Amino acid sequence: MSTAGKVIKCKAAVLWELKKPFSIEEVEVAPPKAHEVRIKLVATGICRSDDHGVNGSLVACLPVILGSCLDTVEINTIKESVLSSSPGDKVIPLFVPQCGECNVCKHPEANLCQKGDLKESQGTLNDGTCRFTCRGKPIHHFLGTSTFTQYTVVNEMSVAKIHEDAPLEKVCLIGCGFSTGYGSAVKVAKVTQGSTCAVFGLGGVGLSVIMGCKAAGAARIIAVDINKDKFARAKQVGATECINPQDYEKPIEKVLKEVSGGGVDFSFEVIGRLETMMSSLLCCQEAYGVSVIVGVPPNAQTISMNPMLLLTGRTWKGAIFGGFKSKESVPKLVSDFMAKKFSLDQLITHVLPFEKINEGFDLLRSGKSVRTILTF
Ligand code: CND
Ligand code: ZN
């Protein structure tokens, strides 16, 4: 039976208050407006950025349905618009859209499309309204995606059609964690053959940075984490050595400078802490090192730094979504996955039914999981 033009009632994980558990509720999902699609979720991952959503540091529009990153879906209904996707297509929602028309989209290197909802989040779709209702109240969107729900509505520029045979419960990671990490190495830092890299933080994103460094031909990949349980997996994906800063008296940047003979070529902060951002900058070679910020700090915080650190020749940069232009890159990354150019298995530690979303967040916060996939 067609659902075109009709409201769909389904289950969603609603966050009514910051720092509280999600509540599984029946919500109403309005039909898509022009240039939007309504999609049926199959699998979605849980990312640290969603936890920033729970804490209110990434978005504070309540109530809200979170779910920014790691999602895969199937198109259910298309209304009133000519889209490149049709019912039955497999798609991945994009928390950074690609409108193709703004200055950023037209720039050959940049990817932070101006139509996105990341910088000053409104918690709505692009027309300023919401498609979700629960208990008579409008429910906000999150980064234009909102995937912790059986059905969601996204803008046409926030969704990419992918290979029809792609295994959704794996390639959902290409919607955020994998691409963010991998692209930070190959596209943002442009890691070179034979180089030495340091990666701070070995969650799903950090492990993906390691995979990118390895693919780019790095000779040494030094993995840094205070949780030694993360080391075995880091080695499996390509780390050549693992260091726990807590095993040393001296600051970690000094340790890294020593073991690398004066500083690493490329360093990555994939935790989201100001102290480790500074350590990551300091550990790279002063005349030619490149340091990339990938982690999102939990609040609007600032760093003060000595300009000499950059005057000597270091490069300090950062990127969202690994610098990939989302709509054109996600289908290619999925095809690369299908061609076995990389594996996602090491990133997935848990699979839970969607209703157990709170358990999934507990696993992330306790450091027990890398990525938990929620299935619908
Ligand atoms: P996750 O929490 O799984 O991993 C972080 C890792 O850092 C854990 O293994 C911790 O043990 C480790 N850690 C914590 N404190 C320290 C410390 N002081 N020193 C060394 N290691 C430490 O996070 P994730 O992999 O899901 O995400 C990592 C960051 O990336 C996080 O800030 C998230 O918000 C951000 C991110 C950015 C983007 C982007 O587009 N730039 C997209 N997704 C996520
Ligand atoms: Zn754009």
Side-chain angles (χ1 to χ4, degrees), residues 23-241:
S23 165
I24 303 288
E25 307 268 359
E26 185 177 90
V27 299
E28 284 150 29
V29 185
K33 295 188 184 174
H35 300 290
E36 295 174 358
V37 286
R38 185 161 56 185
I39 47 194
K40 181 178 188 295
L41 278 285
V42 174
T44 185
I46 298 177
C47 174
R48 178 64 65 177
S49 301
D50 293 306
D51 200 31
H52 294 332
V54 174
N55 294 322
S57 50
L58 204 57
V59 69
C61 317
L62 291 174
V64 62
I65 296 177
L66 294 175
S68 58
C69 290
L70 329 161
D71 334 292
T72 306
V73 292
E74 206 168 297
I75 294 238
N76 179 58
T77 307
I78 293 167
K79 200 195 154 207
E80 289 176 46
S81 57
V82 183
L83 297 174
S84 53
S85 306
S86 3
D89 283 349
K90 287 180 177 173
V91 299
I92 292 183
L94 310 166
F95 74 98
V96 177
Q98 185 182 352
C99 77
E101 287 162 6
C102 71
N103 289 347
V104 176
C105 283
K106 283 184 181 151
H107 189 282
E109 292 295 321
N111 75 333
L112 192 67
C113 173
Q114 300 294 289
K115 299 276 171 65
D117 195 29
L118 197 67
K119 279 182 299 171
E120 286 159 14
S121 289
Q122 306 296 311
T124 62
L125 293 184
N126 289 72
D127 72 343
T129 64
C130 303
R131 302 289 165 274
F132 302 112
T133 315
C134 180
R135 302 192 210 172
K137 291 196 183 80
I139 309 290
H140 284 95
H141 296 248
F142 184 59
L143 306 183
T145 46
S146 286
T147 55
F148 295 155
T149 169
Q150 290 173 318
Y151 288 86
T152 190
V153 178
V154 303
N155 199 283
E156 172 187 14
M157 65 192 166
S158 302
V159 66
K161 184 182 170 196
I162 58 164
H163 195 293
E164 57 186 14
D165 298 328
L168 302 179
E169 70 297 343
K170 288 186 183 171
V171 299
C172 58
L173 295 177
I174 292 170
C176 177
F178 172 77
S179 309
T180 297
Y182 197 83
S184 295
V186 303
K187 208 169 154 45
V188 182
K190 299 192 168 57
V191 168
T192 51
Q193 188 91 27
S195 60
T196 297
C197 303
V199 181
F200 289 73
L202 306 175
V205 186
L207 293 178
S208 303
V209 172
I210 293 175
M211 289 162 71
C213 293
K214 188 181 175 188
R220 285 179 75 188
I221 304 171
I222 308 168
V224 181
D225 203 296
I226 50 173
N227 180 353
K228 64 178 174 15
D229 296 343
K230 305 273 176 155
F231 291 167
R233 214 171 266 275
K235 287 201 167 156
Q236 279 165 10
V237 300
T240 55
E241 49 226 283

Side-chain angles (χ1 to χ4, degrees), residues 254-333:
K254 289 230 165 88
V255 176
L256 287 163
K257 276 191 150 178
E258 279 172 21
V259 300
S260 63
V264 301
D265 299 296
F266 301 97
S267 64
F268 301 86
E269 202 280 353
V270 206
I271 304 163
R273 294 173 53 91
L274 301 189
E275 301 92 296
T276 40
M277 286 175 189
M278 200 41 91
S279 298
S280 175
L281 176 67
L282 287 165
C283 83
C284 79
Q285 212 286 340
E286 64 177 8
Y288 53 74
V290 176
S291 187
V292 179
I293 294 178
V294 186
V296 179
N299 284 303
Q301 297 170 337
T302 52
I303 283 184
S304 75
M305 53 89 70
N306 181 341
M308 280 309 288
L309 294 176
L310 301 184
L311 278 166
T312 56
R314 287 183 178 90
T315 302
W316 204 10
K317 58 200 297 197
I320 299 293
F321 198 54
F324 284 118
K325 285 185 185 289
S326 60
K327 196 158 172 138
E328 64 185 60
S329 303
V330 162
K332 286 185 200 153
L333 287 164

